[in-house]
Amino acid sequence: MAEEIYSPGLEGVIAGETAISTVTGGLSYRGYSIEDLARNGTFEEVAYLLLYCDLPNAQQLDQLRKRLSDAAQVPQPILNAVRDIPRGSSAMDILRSASSMLAHWDPDVNDNSREANLRKSERLLAQLPVVMAARYRLANGKEPVMPKTGRSLAENCLYMLFESDPTPGHIKAMDVSLILYAEHEFNASTFAARVIVSTLSDLHSGIAGAIGALKGPLHGGANEKVTDVLRSVGKKENAEKWVRGALARKEKIMGFGHRVYKDGDPRAVYLKELCGQLAKETGHEDLEGMAAVIERIVWEEKKLPPNLDWPSARLYEYLGLPVELYTPLFVLSRVSGWGAHVIEQLDNNRLIRPRARYTGPQRREWKPLAQR
Ligand code: ACO
């Protein structure tokens, strides 16, 4: 028996190898810093980089855009189901169910080869935004709007939700947020996807499981909870008292802290800049001012820096997006990272099956029913 190593929550444990991204020395995807990618790239280039291991040339990018455009079709029975799922179901639950249902119509469903998994990842990247936007519109009494060909995923997302053409500034902000959410090493949802496919299950199952993991407020669900913080604080003058009170009651402030980044999340640092610019353009400087006070007090009290969800909740508010779609937008982007991890896991698979430290009773004798 190997030496017993135990770390609650697997904190600090190296649970596998990856060539997709690293948080060491700042976050980078396949060797490119996220600052570089966010400043110069588009989400489609980043998705290609994650899935195909290198940046696309112009022809490869054009072909990817065309494939995504062709794949942005959701079978009618799924759109019907999306219409019929009871009101009040969360958009994350809809995406989780949709990713599972889409498998039934996927021509590669039973093919676990690298090529098939690339095709399936691309299809989900194209289909899930259509599902998200359709459900949002149906829930608000409007008919779904389909994506337009030749537009980026960021532009189409905004277009399908609001049925109007977004400004270049809004498209850029959405695109950057998708780039920053695309990939993050062995986080809980990615690890869940890898565990699932390590049994030689399929990509759609891995992604459905990953969406379930991402939903929780300690992971992706935090970006929606950040809005509760901002709304409860209300105005800059209340911020200090509110934060000190919440921390004194040992409450967690959503959007702060990170399992890996103890000195600061580089994605949050980058997005804060863009958030400031968009706040000016959209007249939300007050909210930026209030957020800055909250950040300062959380730092003074707990030495906790903000994570990506802290600025992204404000960015989405400035884009006019509904809160219930903040975490689903994270899904639309992270499908690229999850797809890359599923492929990497299967390229060199070993069943992920750790051990548990037993804390139950010692061996006991069976008692017949009459004696219990
Ligand atoms: N607010 C207040 N205190 C906090 C926070 C927070 N957001 N985060 C951590 N702490 C405190 C803990 O209470 C603990 O304090 P103590 O030592 O006095 O008991 C200490 O900091 C260490 O915290 P842990 O929870 O042990 O740290 P862990 O690495 O497990 O947690 C996590 C990381 C789950 C992200 C945590 O910081 C948290 O719950 N944050 C809020 C949720 C959030 O924003 N999640 C988004 C993650 S990033 C992403 O998904 C893009």
Side-chain angles (χ1 to χ4, degrees):
M1 180 78 65
E3 186 198 347
E4 194 181 274
I5 302 166
Y6 171 52
S7 171
L10 299 185
E11 184 163 6
V13 170
I14 302 292
E17 291 184 323
T18 183
I20 302 169
S21 71
T22 180
V23 298
T24 309
L27 177 61
S28 58
Y29 302 164
R30 299 210 185 268
Y32 294 96
S33 81
I34 44 118
E35 290 83 0
D36 216 2
L37 294 168
R39 255 182 247 287
N40 303 308
T42 60
F43 175 68
E44 281 75 2
E45 284 171 287
V46 168
Y48 188 99
L49 171 69
L50 293 171
L51 290 169
Y52 293 89
C53 313
D54 214 343
L55 284 171
N57 61 30
Q59 193 194 9
Q60 288 164 331
L61 184 59
D62 269 359
Q63 287 168 346
L64 173 71
R65 287 195 180 121
K66 173 147 191 344
R67 288 197 301 276
L68 291 175
S69 200
D70 292 346
Q73 311 219 357
V74 175
Q76 194 57 44
I78 295 181
L79 286 177
N80 294 345
V82 163
R83 191 185 286 269
D84 291 342
I85 290 172
R87 284 180 83 85
S89 308
S90 82
M92 283 301 278
D93 290 347
I94 305 276
L95 285 184
R96 188 203 56 226
S97 302
S99 67
S100 191
M101 283 191 286
L102 282 161
H104 302 300
W105 278 266
D106 197 292
D108 290 312
V109 64
N110 292 320
D111 187 345
N112 233 353
S113 67
R114 169 177 257 274
E115 294 69 29
N117 281 330
L118 286 167
R119 290 194 293 273
K120 287 190 268 190
S121 301
E122 288 183 4
R123 277 187 213 116
L124 280 174
L125 269 175
Q127 291 164 326
L128 290 179
V130 178
V131 170
M132 182 196 78
R135 171 67 184 196
Y136 172 70
R137 291 183 63 83
L138 288 165
N140 287 284
K142 296 180 185 145
E143 279 306 300
V145 168
M146 290 300 123
K148 286 198 172 167
T149 48
R151 293 188 169 190
S152 69
L153 204 133
E155 184 173 3
N156 261 329
C157 269
L158 293 169
Y159 170 70
M160 285 189 286
L161 289 170
F162 304 124
E163 206 179 359
S164 64
D165 291 332
T167 65
H170 283 200
I171 299 169
K172 176 68 185 165
M174 174 61 96
D175 202 54
V176 167
S177 89
L178 294 176
I179 291 173
L180 297 179
Y181 271 129
E183 161 57 16
H184 210 219
E185 202 224 36
F186 270 35
N187 56 83
S189 55
T190 301
F191 192 59
R194 289 189 77 127
V195 170
I196 290 170
V197 299
S198 81
T199 67
L200 300 185
S201 178
D202 65 296
L203 181 134
H204 283 82
S205 300
I207 298 228
I211 295 174
L214 189 75
K215 177 180 149 181
L218 295 187
H219 191 6
N223 64 6
E224 294 180 12
K225 299 286 175 202
V226 164
T227 306
D228 296 343
V229 173
L230 298 172
R231 297 213 170 131
S232 318
V233 175
K235 54 182 183 178
K236 191 175 171 179
E237 294 68 36
N238 299 344
E240 180 160 356
K241 192 166 169 235
W242 190 96
V243 177
R244 291 201 202 279
L247 291 175
R249 292 190 299 276
K250 300 260 174 242
E251 285 171 17
K252 279 200 167 173
I253 316 282
M254 291 292 142
F256 287 87
H258 198 277
R259 173 59 64 81
V260 179
Y261 300 123
K262 297 303 177 193
D263 298 326
D265 180 337
R267 303 167 299 176
V269 175
Y270 181 79
L271 205 62
K272 190 176 171 181
E273 265 179 48
L274 196 63
C275 221
Q277 287 165 20
L278 204 64
K280 269 199 197 119
E281 271 173 54
T282 54
H284 286 92
E285 281 122 317
D286 286 358
L287 191 48
E288 282 302 282
M290 184 180 91
V293 178
I294 299 174
E295 268 182 49
R296 178 170 58 77
I297 308 296
V298 177
W299 181 256
E300 275 177 26
E301 289 272 336
K302 295 287 292 184
K303 295 287 170 284
L304 283 172
N307 58 53
L308 173 60
D309 290 331
W310 180 246
S312 65
R314 300 197 311 281
L315 190 88
Y316 288 164
E317 170 140 359
Y318 306 158
L319 287 174
L321 292 160
V323 179
E324 69 265 28
L325 298 188
Y326 291 7
T327 320
L329 286 163
F330 189 160
V331 170
L332 306 189
S333 154
R334 187 57 65 88
V335 166
S336 56
W338 291 330
H341 277 274
V342 163
I343 291 165
E344 187 180 66
Q345 178 68 34
L346 292 172
D347 274 350
N348 193 9
N349 190 49
R350 181 155 173 81
L351 175 70
I352 299 174
R353 200 302 188 190
R355 292 289 317 279
R357 177 181 286 171
Y358 180 65
T359 59
Q362 296 303 313
R363 283 288 165 89
R364 324 188 245 184
E365 290 301 316
W366 167 260
K367 274 191 193 154
L369 201 51
Q371 291 170 27
R372 283 182 241 153

